[in-house]
């Protein structure tokens, strides 16, 4: 993939058309009662098939994809969402693309430092048995409590969940269900970015990952939209071994774009015991040998790992409130 392809991955000229084309390619004709055919030249549905099923003319739909028609009615958008088999988050995203709010303030183009409120930091510091992290709009870690830091510590990209998944040499060991984690991470990044894909740091992130990870590039091109809400996730931690944790993601209303993600284990489970052990290690600062079957020493990077000698993210100055740390490098 060259630099031009990376630019295409973050092109913001016609986001509505990009989304429609990407989602159209993912729908199988037979799922909508159409014959699959043997001589199809495009993946998924043809434009005329989408138009027919949505109840609009082919010319009108072509103009939508090409960006020559930018104001479809809500009824047309709902019909397109139905034809494209969109789920709730993706349907809402399609409506925002079709009807952007003119009075809505956009994020400033200039780089700005994300801040986490001191009240939230103090709240997290009191959760001694609960890992918690604050994520920014690009799923970068803005702050964490002691157990949240211990959960993700020890990786090349511990402070950036997207780069951790796609560029860290330990990612596939740390996440036993890596493929599912990768899909959900890209969908959550798209959902967090919303329609504001012109953010310079998002463009930088997507461009870097599109050049360095074929898997990211493929998943980003799908335009999956799925908010980070709640999920059960498995970890293979280098100190305490296997962990199965549930998480809930909560929006921070005082800081739009930030998410509070809280992890917890099932009461009485081996994962709860492992989490307690991790908390003890984090509290004492004691070194421990990696648990059997854990990530251990970094492995050589595979398809999505960083190239040898490549730059890694640096750790900035930290501001500590009780047992909670705010990452000032984000």
């Amino acid at each position: 993939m060259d630099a031009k392809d990376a630019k295409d991955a973050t092109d913001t000229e016609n986001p509505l058309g990009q989304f429609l084309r990407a989602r159209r390619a993912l729908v199988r004709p037979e799922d909508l009662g159409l014959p699959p055919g043997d001589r199809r030249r495009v993946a998924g549905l043809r434009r005329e098939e989408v138009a027919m099923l949505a109840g609009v003319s082919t010319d009108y739909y072509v103009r939508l994809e090409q960006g020559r028609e930018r104001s479809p009615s809500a009824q047309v958008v709902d019909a397109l969402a139905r034809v494209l088999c969109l789920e709730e988050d993706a349907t809402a995203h399609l409506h925002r693309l079709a009807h952007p709010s003119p009075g809505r303030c956009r994020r400033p183009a200039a780089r700005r430092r994300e801040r986490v409120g001191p009240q939230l930091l103090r709240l997290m510091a009191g959760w001694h048995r609960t890992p918690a992290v604050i994520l920014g709009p690009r799923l970068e870690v803005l702050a964490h409590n002691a157990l949240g830091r211990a959960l993700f510590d020890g990786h090349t990209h511990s402070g950036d969940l997207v780069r951790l998944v796609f560029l860290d040499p330990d990612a596939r060991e740390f996440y036993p269900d890596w493929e599912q984690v990768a899909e959900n991470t890209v969908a959550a990044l798209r959902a967090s970015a919303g329609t504001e894909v012109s953010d310079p740091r998002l463009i930088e992130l997507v461009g870097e990952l599109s050049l360095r990870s074929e898997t990211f590039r493929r998943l980003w091109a799908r335009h999956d939209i799925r908010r980070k809400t709640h999920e059960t996730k498995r970890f293979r931690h280098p100190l305490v071994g296997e962990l199965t944790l549930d998480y809930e993601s909560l929006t921070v209303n005082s800081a739009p774009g930030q998410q509070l993600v809280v992890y917890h284990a099932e009461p009485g489970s081996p994962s709860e015991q492992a989490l307690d052990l991790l908390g003890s290690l984090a509290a004492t600062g004691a070194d421990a040998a990696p648990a059997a079957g854990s990530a251990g020493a970094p492995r050589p990077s595979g398809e999505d790992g960083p190239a040898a000698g490549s730059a890694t993210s640096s750790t900035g100055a930290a501001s500590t409130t009780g047992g909670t740390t705010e990452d000032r490098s984000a």
Side-chain angles (χ1 to χ4, degrees), residues 30 32 134 137 143 249:
E30 53 267 36
L32 298 176
I134 299 290
S249 179

Side-chain angles (χ1 to χ4, degrees), residues 227-246:
R227 291 176 299 165
K228 194 175 181 69
T229 54
H230 58 85
E231 186 185 6
T232 299
K233 183 174 287 188
R234 293 199 302 147
F235 301 88
R236 188 175 291 115
H237 197 277
L239 296 182
V240 299
E242 292 274 355
L243 288 163
T244 300
L245 303 178
D246 297 319

Side-chain angles (χ1 to χ4, degrees), residues 212-260:
R212 299 177 63 184
S213 169
E214 180 181 349
T215 303
F216 176 87
R217 185 165 66 251
R218 173 177 56 81
L219 293 174
W220 184 256
R222 288 173 55 93
H223 285 251
D224 288 327
I225 305 290
R226 194 161 50 252
R227 291 176 299 165
K228 194 175 181 69
T229 54
H230 58 85
E231 186 185 6
T232 299
K233 183 174 287 188
R234 293 199 302 147
F235 301 88
R236 188 175 291 115
H237 197 277
L239 296 182
V240 299
E242 292 274 355
L243 288 163
T244 300
L245 303 178
D246 297 319
Y247 76 74
E248 289 284 342
S249 179
L250 311 171
T251 58
V252 181
N253 291 337
S254 60
Q258 292 184 12
Q259 303 176 67
L260 167 63

